[in-house]
Amino acid sequence: MNAPAAPSAAAGPARRLVRPLAALVSVALPVGFVALVDPNAPGHYPVCPFLRATGWWCPGCGGLRCVHALTRGDVLTAGHDNLLVAVGALVLLVLWAGWAVRAVRGRPGGGWRVTGRQAGVLLLVLLLFAVVRNLPVGTVLAPPAG
């Protein structure tokens, strides 16, 4: 059984947007849930297991609060809750927009490949972020307690 072919340049713009729009919907649904169910209110989401076990903030701690703040347009709070998630959301938005534009224009793209070096840099950034936000000098990167 063959995998379905990517929409060709001859296909209409709406057909070429199927994959970017499917990706957008797959992200928008959980983001919409976080927008509606406030992670700042206790009892809606579980506590980070890494935080609970160690008392240290993991790279994702504050991420739900960050996404919730972004859905409200509160960029400063989002950056305070988790700067890495806020920057990552911006990067992903730019990448998605480029993918959608290329799709409308009938240009191939959207199938990103991460090199070993890029993966290594990303892992190093995650590790450094996790370490620094748990040091006294990095308290500005730690999410608010609660």
Side-chain angles (χ1 to χ4, degrees):
M1 178 178 239
N2 293 335
S8 69
R15 178 162 165 74
R16 291 190 305 259
L17 272 174
V18 167
R19 289 182 179 180
L21 290 177
L24 179 65
V25 168
S26 71
V27 171
L29 289 174
V31 167
F33 181 82
V34 173
L36 294 173
V37 182
D38 188 356
N40 296 297
H44 294 295
Y45 298 96
V47 175
C48 171
F50 185 79
L51 176 63
R52 178 169 279 171
T54 65
W56 298 337
W57 304 109
C58 81
C61 282
L64 289 175
R65 292 176 187 198
C66 172
V67 170
H68 184 76
L70 286 174
T71 64
R72 305 242 172 312
D74 190 351
V75 177
L76 291 176
T77 298
H80 182 261
D81 289 341
N82 191 314
L83 185 60
L84 198 60
V85 170
V87 170
L90 177 63
V91 168
L92 289 176
L93 180 63
V94 168
L95 289 173
W96 180 86
W99 181 22
V101 167
R102 284 191 309 278
V104 167
R105 293 181 178 168
R107 296 181 183 160
W112 300 290
R113 288 179 177 54
V114 177
T115 66
R117 177 173 285 187
Q118 291 168 332
V121 168
L122 180 60
L123 287 173
L124 183 62
V125 166
L126 287 169
L127 180 63
L128 286 173
F129 182 72
V131 169
V132 170
R133 75 191 318 210
N134 285 290
L135 296 174
V137 297
T139 55
V140 70
L141 295 175

